[in-house]
Amino acid sequence: MGFETVGFSVACTEEGGHMLMRGEGCRTLPLAGHVGFDSLPDQLVNKSVSQGFCFNIMCVGETGLGKSTLMDTLFNTKFEGEPATHTQPGVQLRSNTYDLQESHVGLKLTIVSTVGFGDQINKEDSYKPIVEFLDAQFEAYLQEELKIRRVLHTYHDSRIHVCLYFIAPTGHSLKSLDLMTMKKLDSKVNIIPIIAKSDAISKSELTKFKIKITSELVSNGVQIYQFPTDDESVAEINGTMNAHLPFAVVGSTEELKIGNKMMRARQYPWGTVQVENEAHCDFVKLREMLLRVNMEDLREQTHSRHYELYRRCKLEEMGFKDTDPDSKPFSLQETYEAKRNEFLGELQKKEEEMRQMFVQRVKEKEAELKEAEKELHEKFDRLKKLHQDEKKKLEDKKKSLDDEVNAFKQRKSAAELLQSQGSQAGGSQTLKRDKEKKK
């Protein structure tokens, strides 16, 4: 924007006692130099480059379809990670974050893999851990937004921007697991279906397989990500690439010498499959669409479509609304006050219910205690009466024994008296006999 002068047309306003009129003959203001607001895009670019970017990819597919190899091939980097096994009891999501640098642009790349997906005998609930993971990332971002002191400029956005759904190269039709999973995920993430290891089937079979997959996705109402065509600069290429979905890809980190160049390829006994040869597979198309052309749109769609849907549903569940029953604007403060009053009313109601319940429980407990006290008194009276009866019996028995003892003593005394009298009588007779003998 290097013009020298500019004419400003303004509406009829009054400032400082001077009237400015719209129309011909408006004053032309000379500029001393370059205006400079055409540098605003450069300022935004510089700021974004200094802050860096983040991009999160989720790879969903059965074990052994080459998900890790394709990621290594896409970014021309060997990402470290543990190999997945077929012995997982359930689906586990493994997330790894890497810091990449290309020229002066930094990218914080997060790759989420679904370990054990499709390996279980019962695959009915295989999609649930994936849905829960996606919702957890949305919830974390929502909680950060709802904070009083937000730090979104430094917050690591872990929301998934694209889901690469790996389809096994069967050549027939989609598995029910694939259809069900994509149907559950299409409202939460941008899905790009890809046919993994597409060199396993012939060209003619591959073409028919693509048509079959597209037909089944449409008939089952699965909404996959469509490359945007509203921007004139990319409308043509995106419109062409939409017709190539799903992409048939081959991944390889091995480099082979083909002609005079070293190229990434897969060597077979019957020939060589070149990864970056568009006649062999759609790897180049996927890389162009995913990284070079539509990466920002994927990020934007994640925020404006999928996250907004989650946020709206979550806030509606919490009771927040944009309009009242009369379709009038409803401010956040009014919503908060209404929700707060509703909550306080429910709290008071529950408090009253708990108080009534407490009073009722106290009354019931008092009745139980009174009944128990009555039973104890009755038991005490029974034991007391029983004790008195036993005591009376013992006293009667003691009296009887005392009478027997007294009678025994009387008999004993009489017997001793008789014995002593008998002894005295016997002694007098003996003395009399002795006297007679002496005579």
Side-chain angles (χ1 to χ4, degrees), residues 59 62 275 342 414:
C59 299
E62 298 177 7
V275 173
E342 181 183 353

Side-chain angles (χ1 to χ4, degrees), residues 300-437:
E300 177 63 26
Q301 285 291 320
T302 299
H303 181 79
S304 62
R305 180 186 169 193
H306 301 296
Y307 170 70
E308 284 299 320
L309 176 62
Y310 176 85
R311 176 179 174 276
R312 185 187 69 193
C313 295
K314 197 70 176 180
L315 292 179
E316 286 179 352
E317 288 178 5
M318 295 169 63
F320 291 97
K321 298 178 181 179
D322 291 331
T323 58
D324 59 12
D326 298 329
S327 299
K328 295 181 180 179
F330 213 51
S331 68
L332 183 63
Q333 180 66 23
E334 292 175 349
T335 304
Y336 169 76
E337 292 294 338
K339 192 66 179 177
R340 183 174 181 272
N341 293 333
E342 181 183 353
F343 175 75
L344 291 176
E346 292 179 357
L347 187 63
Q348 291 177 354
K349 183 178 179 182
K350 288 183 179 180
E351 184 179 357
E352 182 64 23
E353 290 177 355
M354 291 181 66
R355 192 182 68 81
Q356 294 292 339
M357 185 182 297
F358 177 76
V359 172
Q360 183 66 24
R361 292 290 296 274
V362 169
K363 289 181 178 179
E364 292 176 357
K365 198 67 179 179
E366 287 179 350
E368 291 177 2
L369 290 174
K370 287 181 179 179
E371 186 68 24
E373 185 180 7
K374 183 180 179 181
E375 291 179 358
L376 285 174
H377 281 299
E378 291 177 353
K379 186 176 181 180
F380 176 76
D381 292 339
R382 288 196 302 271
L383 290 174
K384 185 177 180 181
K385 184 178 180 181
L386 181 63
H387 174 71
Q388 291 175 351
D389 294 342
E390 292 291 334
K391 184 179 180 180
K392 185 177 181 181
K393 288 180 181 180
L394 288 174
E395 289 176 351
D396 293 343
K397 192 171 183 180
K398 180 181 179 182
K399 184 178 180 182
S400 175
L401 289 174
D402 289 342
D403 293 342
E404 291 179 2
V405 169
N406 293 331
F408 175 76
K409 287 180 178 180
Q410 291 178 359
R411 289 195 299 271
K412 181 179 178 182
S413 298
E416 289 176 350
L417 181 62
L418 290 175
Q419 186 177 3
S420 61
Q421 291 177 355
S423 297
Q424 290 177 358
S428 59
Q429 291 178 0
T430 303
L431 183 61
K432 187 178 181 180
R433 282 195 301 271
D434 290 340
K435 288 179 178 182
E436 289 179 354
K437 287 180 180 180

Side-chain angles (χ1 to χ4, degrees), residues 17 48 56 59 66 104 161 198 211 223 234 246 281 311 327 331 335 364 422:
S48 298
N56 306 322
C59 299
H104 299 292
H161 300 124
S198 61
I211 296 173
Q223 300 292 326
V234 294
C281 69
R311 176 179 174 276
S327 299
S331 68
T335 304
E364 292 176 357

Side-chain angles (χ1 to χ4, degrees), residues 195 198 201-211 248 280:
I195 302 172
S198 61
I201 54 179
S202 65
K203 281 286 185 182
S204 59
E205 291 176 337
L206 185 59
T207 302
K208 294 178 181 178
F209 191 33
K210 282 189 175 185
I211 296 173
H280 291 184

Side-chain angles (χ1 to χ4, degrees), residues 69-228:
T69 302
L70 184 63
M71 290 297 101
D72 295 344
T73 311
L74 268 175
F75 295 94
N76 196 22
T77 304
K78 180 62 178 177
F79 295 116
E80 297 180 359
E82 299 178 0
T85 63
H86 292 271
T87 58
Q88 297 292 337
V91 180
Q92 298 179 1
L93 282 89
R94 187 180 299 166
S95 177
N96 295 297
T97 302
Y98 311 92
D99 291 319
L100 304 181
Q101 188 81 18
E102 186 175 71
S103 299
H104 299 292
V105 179
L107 178 67
K108 186 180 289 291
L109 175 68
T110 300
I111 300 176
V112 180
S113 57
T114 53
V115 181
F117 180 79
D119 291 342
Q120 293 74 35
I121 297 177
N122 183 6
K123 303 178 177 62
E124 183 178 358
D125 297 333
S126 296
Y127 68 90
K128 288 186 177 180
I130 304 174
V131 173
E132 291 172 358
F133 179 84
L134 294 172
D135 286 343
Q137 312 318 307
F138 286 150
E139 182 64 24
Y141 192 87
L142 178 61
Q143 292 301 322
E144 184 65 28
E145 272 194 335
L146 295 177
K147 287 182 179 179
I148 296 176
R149 296 183 178 180
R150 300 182 298 176
V151 287
L152 292 175
H153 61 284
T154 59
Y155 175 76
H156 174 56
D157 188 3
S158 59
R159 296 173 297 176
I160 301 302
H161 300 124
V162 62
C163 170
L164 297 180
Y165 195 94
F166 288 69
I167 300 171
T170 59
H172 300 291
S173 60
L174 286 172
K175 299 179 181 179
S176 58
L177 173 64
D178 298 330
L179 286 171
M180 181 173 61
T181 303
M182 282 192 278
K183 184 64 177 175
K184 296 293 183 180
L185 300 182
D186 63 356
S187 63
K188 298 181 180 295
V189 68
N190 301 311
I191 299 176
I192 298 180
I194 59 177
I195 302 172
K197 296 185 175 181
S198 61
D199 54 344
I201 54 179
S202 65
K203 281 286 185 182
S204 59
E205 291 176 337
L206 185 59
T207 302
K208 294 178 181 178
F209 191 33
K210 282 189 175 185
I211 296 173
K212 183 69 173 176
I213 290 173
T214 304
S215 174
E216 290 184 345
L217 291 176
V218 172
S219 62
N220 287 276
V222 178
Q223 300 292 326
I224 63 173
Y225 175 73
Q226 294 291 318
F227 304 119

Side-chain angles (χ1 to χ4, degrees), residues 53-57 70-77 79 100 102 105 107 109 111 161-162 164 192 225 227 238 247 264 283-299:
F53 301 89
C54 72
F55 192 61
N56 306 322
I57 302 176
L70 184 63
M71 290 297 101
D72 295 344
T73 311
L74 268 175
F75 295 94
N76 196 22
T77 304
F79 295 116
L100 304 181
E102 186 175 71
V105 179
L107 178 67
L109 175 68
I111 300 176
H161 300 124
V162 62
L164 297 180
I192 298 180
Y225 175 73
F227 304 119
N238 280 348
F247 292 132
R264 285 180 291 179
F283 172 79
V284 174
K285 295 183 178 66
L286 173 64
R287 185 177 60 188
E288 289 289 299
M289 293 295 98
L290 184 63
L291 304 181
R292 190 180 71 85
V293 180
N294 297 301
M295 178 182 283
E296 180 56 30
D297 185 73
L298 288 166
R299 288 156 45 91

